[in-house]
Amino acid sequence: MTPGRHVAEDLAAEHDALLGGLLREREELLATLDRVAALNGTARLIRESVGTHSGFVAELTGPEQAVIRWMSGTRTDALHDLAVPVGQGIGGRVLALGRPVRVNDYVSSPSITHQFDAQVRGEGLAAMIAVPIVSGTETVAVAYAAMREPRDFGDDAVRSLEDIAGEAGRALKLASVAESDRETALSAERLRMQSALHDSVGALLFSIGVQVRDLHEDSSDNPALESRLRRLEGDVSAASRALRESLLALSESSPERALPVELAEHCRSFQARCGVPARFVQLAQLPRLDAERTGLLVAAVREGLLNVEKHAGALSVVVSLLPSDDGVQVVVADDGTGQRAEDTGEPGTGMGLRALAERAARLGGRVSLVRDEDDGCTLRAWVPEPCRPR
């Protein structure tokens, strides 16, 4: 074999190994960004890393219950989709206590309740550990490791399972952010589709309807044509109703989901209109908002961008959206040098800002406009979360 061929084969093997590594990294990343993949992978990792016969994960479906959905190493479906209320069994005890629980032999342990003994016997399990999976500050799932014979699990096994649960919690947090980003992108696409349908199909149906009504006036002496026009008018009316229903379905979105999309659109519109770069940044997931609070935050951004356009002489603008003090805050910050109201503790002197501040106050919120030390200006608007029914 010639030296050149040796070199080519070595390069091919190197590239193949590199490609394999990249594909594995891709799969790991996808698993991290996908909730189901993350939890399913956690069940497999428990079995492999803790060295138990089986591993499974129960995800919270409400504040008082988890459901076992992801399993590895099991022989039957006895545990699949098993609902575990708070306080019941080993998983329910974890939910109640918020800390690890272990038993040497599940069906004979005096430290847990025994509503699920039949399912555990059906799967042939004995020793078991369960720990909470926490995302942020909330328990979102329970991780289990189990053996098919009685055993005294040591602290090392508990720590190993807690480490896996910690990784799972971080993965779920990333997956939640990724899901939010996907839903925000989907909301933006729905808005674009809604606008396109309204401007094209809606306008066309309106035009057809006008022409049909005009023809009605010229066909009074032609009963056959009049009958056909009535049918056509009915078809246009039905098509218009269907279009309205489609537009309504496309617009259905919770206010906190639609808010980032609308603010980003305002930034894009401002940049196209003024030629000044305007960047929108959402810093974290938002709590639930109602339409009134969402409308106030949108109005604040619109007013802030209008002030920048009129007075700031800015080179750039950043609009930020973030949860803050049990509520939501928007910030419009520019680097302009134009004439502005000084920081008097009041939200500016313009009529628009005064009206905005009064509107915010009615919701228990606040608005402020201050000059920054570097000559830029910052508008802040904050609203509290809506009161939840007790």
Side-chain angles (χ1 to χ4, degrees), residues 50 93 99 132 143 147 161 171 183 234 250 257 268 299 346 372 388:
V50 184
R93 187 166 172 78
R99 58 176 174 78
M147 299 294 291
L161 186 57
E183 291 187 12
L250 284 171
R257 291 293 189 199
R268 280 192 287 270
E346 298 295 326
D372 303 325
R388 295 185 176 88

Side-chain angles (χ1 to χ4, degrees), residues 59-237:
E59 185 179 21
L60 262 71
T61 56
E64 301 291 324
Q65 179 175 276
V67 177
I68 297 173
R69 290 198 174 122
W70 293 274
M71 300 180 293
S72 177
T74 51
R75 297 172 178 172
T76 72
D77 291 330
L79 300 175
H80 191 259
D81 286 337
L82 181 66
V84 181
V86 169
Q88 295 186 11
I90 187 172
R93 187 166 172 78
V94 167
L95 292 178
L97 299 177
R99 58 176 174 78
V101 176
R102 49 186 159 178
V103 294
N104 296 344
D105 183 23
Y106 188 100
V107 296
S108 64
S109 173
S111 64
I112 60 172
T113 64
H114 292 277
Q115 289 87 347
F116 310 118
D117 284 1
Q119 290 88 344
V120 171
R121 283 196 186 97
E123 180 54 39
L125 299 177
M128 200 176 297
I129 320 171
V131 304
I133 295 177
V134 179
S135 178
T137 59
E138 296 182 357
T139 297
V140 295
V142 177
Y144 298 78
M147 299 294 291
R148 299 193 180 280
E149 67 273 345
R151 171 190 285 193
D152 184 7
F153 280 116
D155 292 340
D156 288 345
V158 175
R159 280 193 292 269
S160 180
L161 186 57
E162 286 183 311
D163 289 342
I164 294 170
E167 290 295 329
R170 287 185 283 275
L172 290 177
K173 189 171 184 178
L174 286 173
S176 179
V177 172
E179 181 181 356
S180 175
D181 290 344
R182 286 193 294 270
E183 291 187 12
T184 298
L186 179 60
S187 295
E189 182 60 24
R190 285 156 65 104
L191 286 177
R192 283 191 288 270
M193 290 173 62
Q194 184 186 24
S195 177
L197 283 172
H198 179 273
D199 294 344
S200 58
V201 180
L204 178 61
L205 288 172
F206 178 79
S207 175
I208 293 172
V210 170
Q211 294 178 60
V212 169
R213 285 190 293 274
D214 290 344
L215 286 172
H216 267 304
E217 298 176 1
D218 300 330
S219 63
S220 57
D221 57 348
N222 189 334
L225 179 59
E226 179 72 15
S227 176
R228 293 177 64 186
L229 286 174
R230 278 198 298 270
R231 286 198 300 272
L232 179 58
E233 193 170 31
D235 291 343
V236 171
S237 178

